[in-house]
Amino acid sequence: MAAMLKLSLSYLSRSKIQNLFIALLILLSTLLVSTAVIILANTGNQFKNMHDQTNGSHQILTFEKGLNDPNDVHQWWTAQKGIEVSPLLTYHTLSGITFKGMDIPNVYLYMLNTPSPPWGVDELIFSSETARNDVPEQGKVWIPTSLANAYNISVGDTVGFKTGSSTLDLKVSDIVVDLPYGAPFTNTARVWMNPTDYQTDFDSIAGKDNYMMGIHFDDYSTNSSYWERYASETGTPFLEAKMEFESISSFYLIINQIIGFIMIFLGIVMLVIALITIGFTISDAILANYKTIGILKSMGLTSSRTIGTYVIQYSLLSVVAILPGLALSVVISKFIISISVSSLQVGNRHIAINGISEAILVGVCLFALVILFVVMYAKKARSIQPVQAIRYGMSEVDNTRIANRINSPLGNWVGFARLPVAVVIGIRNLIKNTKSSVLMLLLTTMASSVLVLGYVLLTSITGIYQTAAQWGYDNANIAAVVVNKNTFPQAELKQALGKDSRIRNVGWQGNITGVVSPESSSEMQGQSTSLYLSVLDGSYQELGFETLKGDNPRQANEVAIGVSVAKTLNKELGDLIDLYIEGEKRTFIITGIYQAIANMSVSGRITIDAMRTVNPSYGDFDAIFINLKDPTQADTIAGELNEQFKASASVVTQKTLLDSVYAEAADILIYPMSLIGLLFILATFIIIFSTCRISIRKESRTYGIYKSIGMTSRRIRLSVAMGITILSAIGAILGTAVGVYVLSMLLEMVLSGYGIVHLPLILNWGGIILFACLSIGAATLGSWFSSRVIREASPRMLVIE
């Protein structure tokens, strides 16, 4: 045992840099895999814990169209068993705020008349720990974390809420977690007002009160039976807007699921590469010490003890690397989780992190895998024959194989005789060390794919306005969102748009709730389902709405449906679907299927003609889409229209509208994607440094001969680096294809649950090539630094080695 330990320590001390890098590689593998495990273990937990703590809603009903009496609906649901209902909340809608001199137009607000507690459902979690009143004090409001985080609003700040021609200045007295309307990257928020302020401030503002209520089911899966009973007892289905639990939770979960998926996939890849690298390092260490092992075996050292020396060596390295890797993974995962669920965190409240035990288990499994690979590869030492070891420095079979590889047809096909000497040396190094070359090719491919995926994903989100139609939005230049329908001068806006010669076309959009008849599909098994229906007075094609299959509706009997609806109902183009609209049944032909991240593709599109077969006087529009003859004038025209109609509408460019929603998503994603990219760049440097160091040590005699015949150290090092650069360039090309096409396809599997089955990517090839080349730089630097031993050693010492 003492001999084994002494040999292990000698191996550690003799190759300090290489062993340091192997330990660092194990640490990085542990860090990435355990961080991914912790993030996945916490995906959904933070939201679920907060939903349980606040007794959150499963469905939110809003009453704005006058199609159902809010008091009757509230009374019916209050009388049901197995559910809890929030108070009937009264609110006015406003659009836009001013804060610290900034004008922020694209914020849509429900200004609530705060009822006295207890509410029973959607209880608020407050940022301050001090005692507070049951409702906000006069002149003060409570705002949600989503609004506070988006614009860095703190307790004590004064926010101006736009009421049209004037501004309502109110002081923020507390920041709250408001689960139904507090998801990240949203531009809709509930603001809780003092009841006296609400009555005083909105008495002078035209428009009627609107209402909303939340429903919490003891068993959410039974909600369909309640709604069937509601329709049966009241004689009509619910016709107002209904927000489902899936929509409430989706944006809380989507970022963590994307991050967790990417990290666990790439963490496994990193782990596989690390284990292969360790096995490769052991194989080459055995080969490099072939003579020494042969001599030791001739002196009586058994094969088992020879294997044991490597087990001890890598056990020590693993313990030293895995423990700090686990500790760092907890810190990093907590940071990533905190920024991805920041809207669920208030004040200095501690975030409970789950999955620590799973991370420890990952560390134990990684240690066991390292030892398993050590034993598997170190078993090669059993076959070492002392005589062959002393004569060839390797087995006779390996010696013959390497000689045949150098003289293979590949070498002749490449045409070594016609290439410059430096190129020949570089390529010879790759051909002779096939296993290490394959490993480096795999590594640079994966590193490039990770960097390219991160760049493409962030570019696609920050530039979402360029692919808005593929995400389910319109592609118009300007959007006017109606805030106060009671005072909205629809005829005046129509006249203004009709007279403006700069405008090419206009579309007026309304939103209603459609109920799918159970007879429409055998998949529904007697249950009805609601979907968001878009009603457009205009052309879907002209306004840029896209479909995955088929076309948008043009006739009164046509409909386009979201992919989630098509999947749930098992519908295809040309099929019929029955929809109840305002209580009346209509049959439509499905002409198109589209994807939309909004409402998770549980939606449909119909024409104004279809709506007017139900309600001939329909004119309840929520948004107006405007296309310009010259899109560069969008900011100017939007500003003019917003100033003219600011009392009841918010007019902004499409870019402003989308940036306000998705900029936060990009800000959250940039940190984990940057971390993963840096880890892979570091791993590329480490592994290529290590493998090149091994191959240089094996070829030390050859390089000594090169130096003795007049080649400079710099020229030899450049030759080695040139070969690695060529190999990594091939890897970067393959990695670019993998990152753009393969990994994005895997990511679509995650997003399909959110209504996106085809990920709209923006491919900026200049940036893609730049990020792909980062792995080439890391590989080149790794090979260059590893070859310093050639510069530092004399030809005589190299030949002696």
Side-chain angles (χ1 to χ4, degrees):
M1 183 66 187
M4 292 168 56
L5 182 60
K6 191 171 183 179
L7 280 171
S8 298
L9 294 176
S10 71
Y11 290 156
L12 286 171
S13 61
R14 190 171 62 179
S15 303
K16 295 185 182 68
I17 296 178
Q18 184 177 322
N19 286 319
L20 174 64
F21 280 157
I22 291 294
L24 190 55
L25 187 61
I26 297 172
L27 185 150
L28 295 180
S29 302
T30 306
L31 174 63
L32 197 56
V33 178
S34 55
T35 299
V37 167
I38 293 174
I39 289 175
L40 286 176
N42 284 273
T43 298
N45 285 349
Q46 300 294 329
F47 174 79
K48 182 180 183 302
N49 292 340
M50 189 62 73
H51 193 268
D52 293 342
Q53 186 177 347
T54 61
N55 203 35
S57 298
H58 289 111
Q59 293 175 334
I60 296 287
L61 312 184
T62 53
F63 303 84
E64 294 184 350
K65 302 180 185 297
L67 301 174
N68 295 93
D69 184 271
N71 288 300
D72 291 345
V73 174
H74 188 265
Q75 289 176 8
W76 189 92
W77 283 99
T78 303
Q80 305 306 306
K81 295 181 180 179
I83 65 168
E84 294 176 78
V85 182
S86 75
L88 193 60
L89 302 174
T90 309
Y91 70 91
H92 262 70
T93 53
L94 295 180
S95 174
I97 62 173
T98 58
F99 178 62
K100 292 184 177 179
M102 294 187 301
D103 181 32
I104 306 168
N106 189 34
V107 179
Y108 303 100
L109 306 163
Y110 296 109
M111 307 298 292
L112 292 170
N113 182 1
T114 307
S116 298
W119 301 328
V121 175
D122 291 328
E123 296 284 354
L124 301 178
I125 304 295
F126 293 82
S127 61
S128 64
E129 304 291 341
T130 57
R132 65 184 63 80
N133 298 325
D134 291 339
V135 297
E137 299 175 31
Q138 282 191 257
K140 297 181 179 180
V141 290
W142 300 333
I143 66 170
T145 50
S146 55
L147 182 61
N149 293 341
Y151 303 105
N152 296 316
I153 302 173
S154 304
V155 172
D157 290 338
T158 298
V159 179
F161 298 91
K162 297 180 181 180
T163 59
S165 56
S166 61
T167 300
L168 184 62
D169 293 322
L170 296 169
K171 189 175 183 179
V172 177
S173 64
D174 222 324
I175 296 172
V176 299
V177 173
D178 183 16
L179 216 58
Y181 288 92
F185 39 95
T186 179
N187 60 348
T188 303
R190 296 198 292 194
V191 176
W192 303 81
M193 296 181 63
N194 176 272
T196 304
D197 286 342
Y198 181 88
Q199 296 296 334
T200 303
D201 294 331
F202 288 110
D203 276 347
S204 58
I205 299 175
K208 64 181 180 65
D209 288 336
N210 298 310
Y211 301 91
M212 71 169 62
M213 57 179 279
I215 306 172
H216 178 93
F217 296 87
D218 291 348
D219 181 2
Y220 177 56
S221 64
T222 62
N223 79 90
S224 293
S225 62
Y226 281 94
W227 282 108
E228 289 172 8
R229 192 188 315 153
Y230 171 86
S232 175
E233 294 182 8
T234 61
T236 180
F238 184 72
L239 303 173
E240 296 279 359
K242 178 174 63 170
M243 183 165 62
E244 303 286 352
F245 178 70
E246 290 77 12
S247 296
I248 295 173
S249 62
S250 61
F251 283 113
Y252 286 103
L253 306 180
I254 187 170
I255 287 294
N256 261 359
Q257 288 195 345
I258 291 174
I259 294 172
F261 167 79
I262 292 173
M263 292 194 77
I264 195 67
F265 175 78
L266 298 176
I268 292 172
V269 171
M270 173 77 86
L271 176 59
V272 170
I273 292 174
L275 292 173
I276 293 174
T277 303
I278 290 169
F280 170 76
T281 303
I282 292 171
S283 296
D284 279 299
I286 292 172
L287 192 59
N289 296 301
Y290 214 88
K291 284 188 178 181
T292 304
I293 296 172
I295 293 169
L296 291 173
K297 292 187 75 171
S298 68
M299 296 172 63
L301 187 69
T302 64
S303 296
S304 297
R305 291 193 172 189
T306 303
I307 295 171
T309 59
Y310 291 103
V311 171
I312 294 172
Q313 176 186 348
Y314 284 94
S315 295
L316 294 172
L317 286 175
S318 298
V319 171
V320 170
I322 289 174
L323 293 179
L326 291 174
L328 284 173
S329 70
V330 175
V331 176
I332 293 174
S333 59
K334 186 173 183 177
F335 170 73
I336 293 174
I337 291 168
S338 67
I339 61 174
S340 62
V341 296
S342 58
S343 58
L344 295 177
Q345 182 183 10
V346 289
N348 296 319
R349 291 176 182 266
H350 175 69
I351 295 181
I353 299 295
N354 299 317
I356 305 299
S357 57
E358 288 87 344
I360 294 173
L361 181 61
V362 166
V364 173
C365 291
L366 184 55
F367 179 83
L369 282 171
V370 170
I371 300 306
L372 177 62
F373 268 67
V374 169
V375 173
M376 285 175 55
Y377 281 90
K379 284 170 67 175
K380 293 182 179 181
R382 289 182 181 274
S383 61
I384 295 178
Q385 300 297 322
V387 175
Q388 291 183 5
I390 295 169
R391 180 177 179 183
Y392 297 112
M394 62 184 72
S395 69
E396 188 173 1
V397 173
D398 289 337
N399 182 66
T400 303
R401 186 186 299 119
I402 290 174
N404 291 336
R405 192 182 300 156
I406 292 299
N407 298 310
S408 66
L410 177 62
N412 296 326
W413 178 79
V414 170
F416 277 178
R418 296 190 298 273
L419 293 176
V421 174
V423 177
V424 171
I425 293 173
I427 296 177
R428 179 186 181 277
N429 183 51
L430 298 178
I431 295 174
K432 190 172 183 180
N433 299 283
T434 307
K435 291 182 180 178
S436 62
S437 298
V438 171
L439 176 63
M440 289 187 284
L441 181 65
L442 174 64
L443 180 62
T444 52
T445 298
M446 289 311 304
S448 298
S449 67
V450 170
L451 294 166
V452 166
L453 175 66
Y455 172 76
V456 170
L457 186 59
L458 290 172
T459 302
S460 299
I461 293 176
T462 55
I464 195 171
Y465 63 92
Q466 301 176 44
T467 56
Q470 297 174 48
W471 291 90
Y473 299 105
D474 65 285
N475 202 27
N477 304 125
I478 296 173
V481 179
V482 180
V483 178
N484 192 333
K485 295 182 180 179
N486 298 289
T487 62
F488 177 59
Q490 184 173 320
E492 184 181 341
L493 178 59
K494 276 188 177 181
Q495 186 178 15
L497 296 177
K499 289 181 177 180
D500 197 328
S501 61
R502 299 170 296 180
I503 294 174
R504 188 172 74 235
N505 52 56
V506 176
W508 295 70
Q509 184 191 50
N511 294 288
I512 61 172
T513 300
V515 179
V516 182
S517 168
E519 293 82 17
S520 288
S521 174
S522 59
E523 305 291 327
M524 297 179 63
Q525 299 178 349
Q527 297 184 2
S528 61
T529 185
S530 299
L531 68 154
Y532 299 87
L533 276 180
S534 168
V535 180
L536 187 69
D537 184 1
S539 170
Y540 282 105
Q541 285 71 25
E542 289 180 354
L543 295 170
F545 288 92
E546 291 188 7
T547 56
L548 292 176
K549 294 190 288 186
D551 298 306
N552 283 300
R554 293 184 175 89
Q555 307 298 324
N557 65 336
E558 296 177 346
V559 66
I561 59 175
V563 291
S564 297
V565 179
K567 181 179 179 181
T568 302
L569 304 182
N570 194 25
K571 294 290 186 180
E572 280 295 338
L573 298 180
D575 290 347
L576 299 179
I577 184 172
D578 295 326
L579 296 176
Y580 284 94
I581 302 174
E582 295 191 358
E584 294 192 25
K585 182 179 178 180
R586 292 291 184 271
T587 300
F588 294 92
I589 299 173
I590 299 172
T591 61
I593 297 174
Y594 63 91
Q595 65 177 13
I597 195 167
N599 304 317
M600 302 170 67
S601 291
V602 185
S603 57
R605 298 169 181 167
I606 61 174
T607 63
I608 189 69
D609 294 333
M611 186 63 208
R612 284 177 177 162
T613 65
V614 177
N615 182 356
S617 61
Y618 181 81
D620 188 13
F621 298 109
D622 298 287
I624 301 91
F625 303 121
I626 305 166
N627 274 327
L628 306 177
K629 294 177 181 177
D630 182 5
T632 60
Q633 294 182 306
D635 287 318
T636 302
I637 297 174
E640 293 173 1
L641 292 173
N642 192 60
E643 182 63 28
Q644 185 177 353
F645 298 97
K646 63 183 180 181
S648 57
S650 172
V651 186
V652 294
T653 64
Q654 185 203 49
K655 185 177 186 302
T656 301
L657 196 67
L658 293 173
D659 283 351
S660 64
V661 177
Y662 290 98
E664 186 180 350
D667 291 341
I668 293 173
L669 277 173
I670 195 169
Y671 295 106
M673 294 307 300
S674 298
L675 173 65
I676 297 171
L678 287 172
L679 290 182
F680 267 85
I681 289 174
L682 186 56
T684 301
F685 177 86
I686 291 170
I687 292 174
I688 290 181
F689 179 97
S690 182
T691 53
C692 285
R693 192 69 173 262
I694 291 170
S695 64
I696 288 170
R697 189 173 65 243
K698 288 194 301 181
E699 295 291 307
S700 59
R701 182 176 300 177
T702 304
Y703 295 136
I705 294 171
Y706 291 161
K707 291 185 74 172
S708 67
I709 62 175
M711 286 190 71
T712 63
S713 299
R714 182 180 180 84
R715 192 176 179 189
I716 298 172
R717 294 177 69 194
L718 285 173
S719 299
V720 174
M722 185 186 302
I724 300 300
T725 302
I726 294 172
L727 185 68
S728 59
I730 297 172
I733 294 171
L734 295 174
T736 300
V738 171
V740 171
Y741 301 108
V742 178
L743 293 185
S744 60
M745 288 175 60
L746 294 175
L747 192 57
E748 285 172 358
M749 296 170 59
V750 177
L751 292 175
S752 63
Y754 296 90
I756 297 295
V757 296
H758 175 68
L759 184 61
L761 298 177
I762 296 175
L763 301 180
N764 182 349
W765 286 105
I768 289 172
I769 293 171
L770 177 63
F771 273 82
C773 287
L774 291 177
S775 65
I776 301 176
T780 303
L781 287 175
S783 63
W784 179 258
F785 282 107
S786 68
S787 63
R788 284 189 302 177
V789 65
I790 298 175
R791 182 192 66 186
E792 295 167 357
S794 66
R796 183 168 179 269
M797 291 304 298
L798 285 171
V799 173
I800 290 174
E801 285 189 25

